[in-house]
PDB file of all heavy atoms in Angstrom:
ATOM      1  N   VAL A 330      17.615 -56.107 -54.388  1.00  0.00           N
ATOM      2  CA  VAL A 330      17.694 -57.329 -53.663  1.00  0.00           C
ATOM      3  C   VAL A 330      17.286 -57.001 -52.207  1.00  0.00           C
ATOM      4  O   VAL A 330      17.890 -56.121 -51.593  1.00  0.00           O
ATOM      5  CB  VAL A 330      19.085 -57.979 -53.613  1.00  0.00           C
ATOM      6  CG1 VAL A 330      19.089 -59.284 -52.794  1.00  0.00           C
ATOM      7  CG2 VAL A 330      19.553 -58.270 -55.067  1.00  0.00           C
ATOM      8  N   ARG A 331      16.193 -57.595 -51.687  1.00  0.00           N
ATOM      9  CA  ARG A 331      15.779 -57.280 -50.325  1.00  0.00           C
ATOM     10  C   ARG A 331      16.256 -58.300 -49.284  1.00  0.00           C
ATOM     11  O   ARG A 331      16.404 -58.010 -48.111  1.00  0.00           O
ATOM     12  CB  ARG A 331      14.256 -57.143 -50.257  1.00  0.00           C
ATOM     13  CG  ARG A 331      13.887 -55.806 -50.847  1.00  0.00           C
ATOM     14  CD  ARG A 331      12.481 -55.541 -51.088  1.00  0.00           C
ATOM     15  NE  ARG A 331      11.478 -56.092 -50.213  1.00  0.00           N
ATOM     16  CZ  ARG A 331      11.069 -55.563 -49.104  1.00  0.00           C
ATOM     17  NH1 ARG A 331      11.571 -54.335 -48.672  1.00  0.00           N
ATOM     18  NH2 ARG A 331      10.123 -56.108 -48.306  1.00  0.00           N
ATOM     19  N   SER A 332      16.541 -59.505 -49.774  1.00  0.00           N
ATOM     20  CA  SER A 332      17.006 -60.519 -48.840  1.00  0.00           C
ATOM     21  C   SER A 332      17.657 -61.639 -49.643  1.00  0.00           C
ATOM     22  O   SER A 332      17.272 -61.844 -50.804  1.00  0.00           O
ATOM     23  CB  SER A 332      15.885 -61.035 -48.006  1.00  0.00           C
ATOM     24  OG  SER A 332      16.273 -61.943 -46.950  1.00  0.00           O
ATOM     25  N   VAL A 333      18.663 -62.285 -49.055  1.00  0.00           N
ATOM     26  CA  VAL A 333      19.334 -63.369 -49.775  1.00  0.00           C
ATOM     27  C   VAL A 333      19.471 -64.536 -48.825  1.00  0.00           C
ATOM     28  O   VAL A 333      19.832 -64.410 -47.670  1.00  0.00           O
ATOM     29  CB  VAL A 333      20.646 -62.840 -50.393  1.00  0.00           C
ATOM     30  CG1 VAL A 333      21.572 -62.213 -49.324  1.00  0.00           C
ATOM     31  CG2 VAL A 333      21.463 -63.902 -51.083  1.00  0.00           C
ATOM     32  N   ALA A 334      19.143 -65.719 -49.366  1.00  0.00           N
ATOM     33  CA  ALA A 334      19.186 -66.971 -48.584  1.00  0.00           C
ATOM     34  C   ALA A 334      19.974 -68.044 -49.365  1.00  0.00           C
ATOM     35  O   ALA A 334      20.220 -67.855 -50.540  1.00  0.00           O
ATOM     36  CB  ALA A 334      17.751 -67.455 -48.307  1.00  0.00           C
ATOM     37  N   SER A 335      20.401 -69.069 -48.649  1.00  0.00           N
ATOM     38  CA  SER A 335      21.060 -70.186 -49.370  1.00  0.00           C
ATOM     39  C   SER A 335      20.568 -71.517 -48.815  1.00  0.00           C
ATOM     40  O   SER A 335      20.170 -71.688 -47.662  1.00  0.00           O
ATOM     41  CB  SER A 335      22.558 -70.111 -49.283  1.00  0.00           C
ATOM     42  OG  SER A 335      22.972 -70.409 -47.959  1.00  0.00           O
ATOM     43  N   LYS A 336      20.624 -72.503 -49.686  1.00  0.00           N
ATOM     44  CA  LYS A 336      20.219 -73.854 -49.282  1.00  0.00           C
ATOM     45  C   LYS A 336      21.323 -74.797 -49.730  1.00  0.00           C
ATOM     46  O   LYS A 336      21.675 -74.888 -50.946  1.00  0.00           O
ATOM     47  CB  LYS A 336      18.935 -74.141 -50.001  1.00  0.00           C
ATOM     48  CG  LYS A 336      18.437 -75.585 -49.801  1.00  0.00           C
ATOM     49  CD  LYS A 336      16.968 -75.586 -49.529  1.00  0.00           C
ATOM     50  CE  LYS A 336      16.642 -76.909 -48.812  1.00  0.00           C
ATOM     51  NZ  LYS A 336      16.799 -76.921 -47.409  1.00  0.00           N
ATOM     52  N   GLY A 337      21.863 -75.564 -48.769  1.00  0.00           N
ATOM     53  CA  GLY A 337      22.957 -76.483 -49.095  1.00  0.00           C
ATOM     54  C   GLY A 337      22.474 -77.864 -49.195  1.00  0.00           C
ATOM     55  O   GLY A 337      21.312 -78.185 -49.230  1.00  0.00           O
ATOM     56  N   ASP A 338      23.453 -78.844 -49.217  1.00  0.00           N
ATOM     57  CA  ASP A 338      23.143 -80.236 -49.312  1.00  0.00           C
ATOM     58  C   ASP A 338      22.322 -80.644 -50.587  1.00  0.00           C
ATOM     59  O   ASP A 338      21.388 -81.406 -50.492  1.00  0.00           O
ATOM     60  CB  ASP A 338      22.435 -80.727 -48.029  1.00  0.00           C
ATOM     61  CG  ASP A 338      22.714 -82.180 -47.768  1.00  0.00           C
ATOM     62  OD1 ASP A 338      23.653 -82.764 -48.324  1.00  0.00           O
ATOM     63  OD2 ASP A 338      21.980 -82.828 -46.959  1.00  0.00           O
ATOM     64  N   LEU A 339      22.657 -79.965 -51.689  1.00  0.00           N
ATOM     65  CA  LEU A 339      21.938 -80.231 -52.914  1.00  0.00           C
ATOM     66  C   LEU A 339      22.919 -80.807 -53.979  1.00  0.00           C
ATOM     67  O   LEU A 339      24.151 -80.710 -53.839  1.00  0.00           O
ATOM     68  CB  LEU A 339      21.366 -78.892 -53.490  1.00  0.00           C
ATOM     69  CG  LEU A 339      20.326 -78.151 -52.627  1.00  0.00           C
ATOM     70  CD1 LEU A 339      19.944 -76.859 -53.298  1.00  0.00           C
ATOM     71  CD2 LEU A 339      19.142 -79.081 -52.332  1.00  0.00           C
ATOM     72  N   SER A 340      22.376 -81.442 -54.953  1.00  0.00           N
ATOM     73  CA  SER A 340      23.141 -82.018 -56.038  1.00  0.00           C
ATOM     74  C   SER A 340      22.435 -81.690 -57.361  1.00  0.00           C
ATOM     75  O   SER A 340      21.221 -81.531 -57.373  1.00  0.00           O
ATOM     76  CB  SER A 340      23.171 -83.550 -55.954  1.00  0.00           C
ATOM     77  OG  SER A 340      23.773 -83.951 -54.739  1.00  0.00           O
ATOM     78  N   ILE A 341      23.249 -81.644 -58.450  1.00  0.00           N
ATOM     79  CA  ILE A 341      22.665 -81.414 -59.763  1.00  0.00           C
ATOM     80  C   ILE A 341      22.799 -82.719 -60.503  1.00  0.00           C
ATOM     81  O   ILE A 341      23.937 -83.257 -60.637  1.00  0.00           O
ATOM     82  CB  ILE A 341      23.380 -80.337 -60.572  1.00  0.00           C
ATOM     83  CG1 ILE A 341      23.471 -78.992 -59.740  1.00  0.00           C
ATOM     84  CG2 ILE A 341      22.731 -80.113 -61.931  1.00  0.00           C
ATOM     85  CD1 ILE A 341      24.271 -77.928 -60.433  1.00  0.00           C
ATOM     86  N   ILE A 342      21.704 -83.285 -61.012  1.00  0.00           N
ATOM     87  CA  ILE A 342      21.722 -84.512 -61.725  1.00  0.00           C
ATOM     88  C   ILE A 342      21.500 -84.089 -63.233  1.00  0.00           C
ATOM     89  O   ILE A 342      20.571 -83.332 -63.489  1.00  0.00           O
ATOM     90  CB  ILE A 342      20.745 -85.557 -61.236  1.00  0.00           C
ATOM     91  CG1 ILE A 342      20.776 -86.802 -62.126  1.00  0.00           C
ATOM     92  CG2 ILE A 342      19.367 -85.067 -61.187  1.00  0.00           C
ATOM     93  CD1 ILE A 342      20.261 -88.022 -61.362  1.00  0.00           C
ATOM     94  N   LYS A 343      22.374 -84.516 -64.148  1.00  0.00           N
ATOM     95  CA  LYS A 343      22.232 -84.185 -65.537  1.00  0.00           C
ATOM     96  C   LYS A 343      22.002 -85.406 -66.330  1.00  0.00           C
ATOM     97  O   LYS A 343      22.699 -86.413 -66.213  1.00  0.00           O
ATOM     98  CB  LYS A 343      23.497 -83.487 -66.034  1.00  0.00           C
ATOM     99  CG  LYS A 343      23.543 -82.031 -65.719  1.00  0.00           C
ATOM    100  CD  LYS A 343      24.665 -81.358 -66.506  1.00  0.00           C
ATOM    101  CE  LYS A 343      24.737 -79.892 -66.129  1.00  0.00           C
ATOM    102  NZ  LYS A 343      25.893 -79.240 -66.712  1.00  0.00           N
ATOM    103  N   ILE A 344      20.988 -85.341 -67.148  1.00  0.00           N
ATOM    104  CA  ILE A 344      20.581 -86.517 -67.946  1.00  0.00           C
ATOM    105  C   ILE A 344      20.796 -86.119 -69.481  1.00  0.00           C
ATOM    106  O   ILE A 344      20.233 -85.131 -69.861  1.00  0.00           O
ATOM    107  CB  ILE A 344      19.069 -86.927 -67.741  1.00  0.00           C
ATOM    108  CG1 ILE A 344      18.867 -87.168 -66.197  1.00  0.00           C
ATOM    109  CG2 ILE A 344      18.766 -88.155 -68.506  1.00  0.00           C
ATOM    110  CD1 ILE A 344      17.458 -87.068 -65.787  1.00  0.00           C
ATOM    111  N   TYR A 345      21.696 -86.848 -70.125  1.00  0.00           N
ATOM    112  CA  TYR A 345      22.017 -86.523 -71.494  1.00  0.00           C
ATOM    113  C   TYR A 345      21.283 -87.397 -72.475  1.00  0.00           C
ATOM    114  O   TYR A 345      21.260 -88.618 -72.335  1.00  0.00           O
ATOM    115  CB  TYR A 345      23.503 -86.689 -71.688  1.00  0.00           C
ATOM    116  CG  TYR A 345      24.392 -85.800 -70.914  1.00  0.00           C
ATOM    117  CD1 TYR A 345      24.719 -86.016 -69.547  1.00  0.00           C
ATOM    118  CD2 TYR A 345      24.917 -84.616 -71.519  1.00  0.00           C
ATOM    119  CE1 TYR A 345      25.452 -85.120 -68.864  1.00  0.00           C
ATOM    120  CE2 TYR A 345      25.715 -83.798 -70.828  1.00  0.00           C
ATOM    121  CZ  TYR A 345      25.995 -84.000 -69.501  1.00  0.00           C
ATOM    122  OH  TYR A 345      26.782 -83.179 -68.735  1.00  0.00           O
ATOM    123  N   SER A 346      20.669 -86.746 -73.516  1.00  0.00           N
ATOM    124  CA  SER A 346      20.013 -87.506 -74.574  1.00  0.00           C
ATOM    125  C   SER A 346      19.856 -86.587 -75.740  1.00  0.00           C
ATOM    126  O   SER A 346      19.333 -85.457 -75.557  1.00  0.00           O
ATOM    127  CB  SER A 346      18.670 -88.032 -74.142  1.00  0.00           C
ATOM    128  OG  SER A 346      17.973 -88.495 -75.295  1.00  0.00           O
ATOM    129  N   SER A 347      20.282 -87.006 -76.971  1.00  0.00           N
ATOM    130  CA  SER A 347      20.139 -86.092 -78.120  1.00  0.00           C
ATOM    131  C   SER A 347      18.611 -85.962 -78.448  1.00  0.00           C
ATOM    132  O   SER A 347      18.167 -85.135 -79.295  1.00  0.00           O
ATOM    133  CB  SER A 347      20.877 -86.659 -79.286  1.00  0.00           C
ATOM    134  OG  SER A 347      20.536 -88.016 -79.436  1.00  0.00           O
ATOM    135  N   GLU A 348      17.752 -86.764 -77.818  1.00  0.00           N
ATOM    136  CA  GLU A 348      16.337 -86.734 -78.080  1.00  0.00           C
ATOM    137  C   GLU A 348      15.553 -85.709 -77.214  1.00  0.00           C
ATOM    138  O   GLU A 348      14.383 -85.484 -77.401  1.00  0.00           O
ATOM    139  CB  GLU A 348      15.714 -88.105 -77.858  1.00  0.00           C
ATOM    140  CG  GLU A 348      16.053 -89.129 -78.898  1.00  0.00           C
ATOM    141  CD  GLU A 348      15.578 -88.709 -80.259  1.00  0.00           C
ATOM    142  OE1 GLU A 348      14.379 -88.534 -80.419  1.00  0.00           O
ATOM    143  OE2 GLU A 348      16.432 -88.582 -81.164  1.00  0.00           O
TER     144      GLU A 348
END
Side-chain angles (χ1 to χ4, degrees):
V330 180
R331 284 172 32 88
S332 187
V333 54
S335 71
K336 173 135 201 85
D338 208 16
L339 298 178
S340 299
I341 305 174
I342 179 160
K343 278 193 182 172
I344 305 159
Y345 294 80
S346 166
S347 50
E348 287 299 303

